[in-house]
């Protein structure tokens, strides 16, 4: 029987990979920084506990300074996993730095021919989310990674993060997020109102670094997710100023702000630079580098509401499930 046509969100044009099923094979690759083998083993065990068959890239434990092996090896692992018909999803082991270096080494036509697949990752993986949107028009998941503490802690994975990751992978419930107890930001709306549009964005540092490239942020008509870690307020100011000056934030429908772990007090500069745009801005969402870390579909049709400080989304899967 022929597979059903891949659905695309009305108004977004983004293709939606099918949800995973128990027994599916997922590949863990390392497109960015070097991976701790103990954490990787714990994280892959967590994925196996979800009923998935887990394979790892041939070079996943390579190290080349601050990179997980050579650019060619990291790109080859990602492309091999993506183009393998037995692999239903590709999860990035961790962030760090390096994903931007492999974007021009990937055979995007071969990856397009392989059909839509699920990609999961955050932080430095923002570069891959942007590339998948630009090159493949594909919905992908900004979420926790298997060789990072939230999934690979010795005491076990953070339960809320794992629950939301499982929902993202298998197409379960979990199409809305709002501030959680203990949020550093608390329940806040920087600018009141509500807005709808495709979700884009990711890690602020990566979005600034992608200015001037084919993968630069285009915010027009979109809900822009922003988060970061370890950046002083003046550096956040500098990166927002760069995006503003480059026109990357022109026409944004609204902003959904995630965690700003280790960033001091970023709220005055966020309020000043984003509030001046006059579109709804909500903050305190558990997305990014904080705990918990919920998964968000980049490219899906989303909405923000300042009254509830929430981000919601809708996904139409190939089997018709919502």
């Amino acid at each position: 029987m022929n597979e059903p046509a891949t659905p695309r969100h009305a108004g977004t044009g983004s293709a939606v990979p099918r949800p995973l099923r128990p027994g599916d094979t997922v590949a863990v690759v390392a497109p960015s920084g070097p991976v701790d083998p103990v954490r990787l083993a714990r994280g892959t065990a967590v994925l196996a506990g979800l009923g998935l068959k887990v394979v790892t890239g041939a070079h996943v434990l390579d190290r080349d300074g601050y990179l997980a092996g050579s650019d060619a090896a990291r790109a080859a692992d990602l492309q091999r996993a993506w183009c393998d018909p037995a692999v239903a999803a590709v999860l990035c082991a961790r962030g760090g730095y390096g994903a931007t270096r492999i974007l021009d080494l990937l055979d995007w036509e071969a990856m397009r021919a392989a059909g839509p697949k699920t990609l999961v990752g955050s932080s430095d993986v923002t570069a891959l989310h942007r590339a998948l949107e630009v090159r493949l028009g594909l919905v992908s998941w900004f979420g926790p990674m298997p060789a990072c503490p939230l999934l690979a802690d010795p005491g076990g994975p953070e339960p809320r993060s794992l629950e939301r990751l499982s929902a993202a992978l298998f197409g379960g419930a979990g199409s809305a997020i709002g501030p959680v107890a203990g949020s550093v930001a608390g329940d806040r709306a920087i600018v009141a109102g509500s807005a709808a549009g495709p979700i884009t964005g990711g890690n602020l540092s990566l979005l600034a670094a992608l200015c001037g490239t084919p993968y630069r942020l285009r915010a027009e008509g979109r809900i822009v997710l922003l988060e970061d870690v370890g950046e002083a307020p003046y550096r956040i100011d500098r990166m927002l100023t760069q995006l503003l000056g480059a026109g990357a934030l022109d026409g944004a429908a609204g902003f959904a702000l995630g965690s700003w772990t280790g960033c001091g007090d970023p709220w005055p500069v966020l309020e000043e630079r984003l509030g001046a745009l006059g579109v709804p801005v909500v903050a305190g969402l558990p997305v990014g580098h904080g705990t918990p870390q919920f998964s968000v579909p980049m490219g899906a049709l989303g909405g923000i509401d300042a009254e509830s400080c929430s981000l919601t989304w809708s996904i139409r899967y190939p089997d018709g499930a919502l």
Side-chain angles (χ1 to χ4, degrees):
M1 180 180 294
N2 292 332
E3 288 289 326
T6 301
R8 294 177 182 271
H9 282 294
T12 74
S14 296
V16 183
R18 70 164 177 85
L20 301 189
R21 310 179 187 101
D24 275 344
T25 297
V26 300
V28 177
V29 299
S32 304
V35 175
D36 181 293
V38 175
R39 282 184 172 174
L40 179 65
R42 291 194 195 113
T44 54
V46 167
L47 296 175
L50 297 178
L52 299 169
K53 179 182 177 182
V54 185
V55 298
T56 56
H59 302 280
V60 71
L61 292 178
D62 285 4
R63 176 184 285 269
D64 183 4
Y66 45 78
L67 300 169
S70 69
D71 292 348
R74 300 193 325 280
D77 272 6
L78 174 58
Q79 184 164 319
R80 188 177 298 114
W82 195 270
C83 294
D84 184 343
V87 171
V90 177
L91 289 86
C92 299
R94 60 156 299 196
Y97 168 73
T100 51
R101 292 177 54 135
I102 69 171
L103 298 181
D104 293 336
L105 300 180
L106 297 169
D107 185 339
W108 291 105
E109 289 306 312
M111 292 174 68
R112 181 185 298 277
K117 294 190 179 184
T118 296
L119 176 82
V120 180
S122 55
S123 194
D124 190 62
V125 183
T126 294
L128 290 175
H129 291 301
R130 291 295 310 133
L132 259 64
E133 180 180 331
V134 171
R135 295 286 191 176
L136 304 184
L138 187 63
V139 169
S140 54
W141 287 90
F142 192 93
M145 299 172 283
C148 289
L150 282 177
L151 296 184
D153 189 85
E158 199 285 314
R160 294 167 294 181
S161 302
L162 179 60
E163 178 185 10
R164 289 305 188 102
L165 175 61
S166 179
L169 293 174
F170 293 102
S175 58
I177 57 174
V180 298
S183 168
V184 173
D187 187 344
R188 71 165 68 206
I190 292 176
V191 180
S194 61
I199 303 169
T200 192
N203 180 264
L204 175 61
S205 297
L206 267 294
L207 295 173
L210 290 169
C211 281
T213 76
Y215 312 106
R216 63 190 179 276
L217 177 66
R218 295 173 173 87
E220 185 173 3
R222 296 175 177 263
I223 302 297
V224 181
L225 173 69
L226 295 175
E227 64 83 31
D228 219 316
V229 61
E231 297 289 353
Y234 80 89
R235 293 200 294 266
I236 293 171
D237 188 336
R238 182 181 64 207
M239 291 183 283
L240 289 174
T241 300
Q242 181 180 6
L243 291 174
L244 289 164
L249 302 183
D250 289 357
F255 293 87
L257 304 183
S259 61
W260 301 86
T261 306
C263 293
D265 180 7
W267 302 112
V269 67
L270 289 166
E271 291 175 1
E272 177 194 0
R273 304 304 275 156
L274 299 180
L277 299 179
V279 297
V281 182
V282 300
L285 301 177
V287 183
H289 289 80
T291 302
Q293 182 184 355
F294 290 173
S295 301
V296 173
M298 310 303 284
L301 185 62
I304 55 172
D305 178 69
E307 184 175 351
S308 60
C309 280
S310 63
L311 168 66
T312 60
W313 59 85
S314 174
I315 295 178
R316 185 167 64 89
Y317 290 103
D319 61 2
L322 292 178

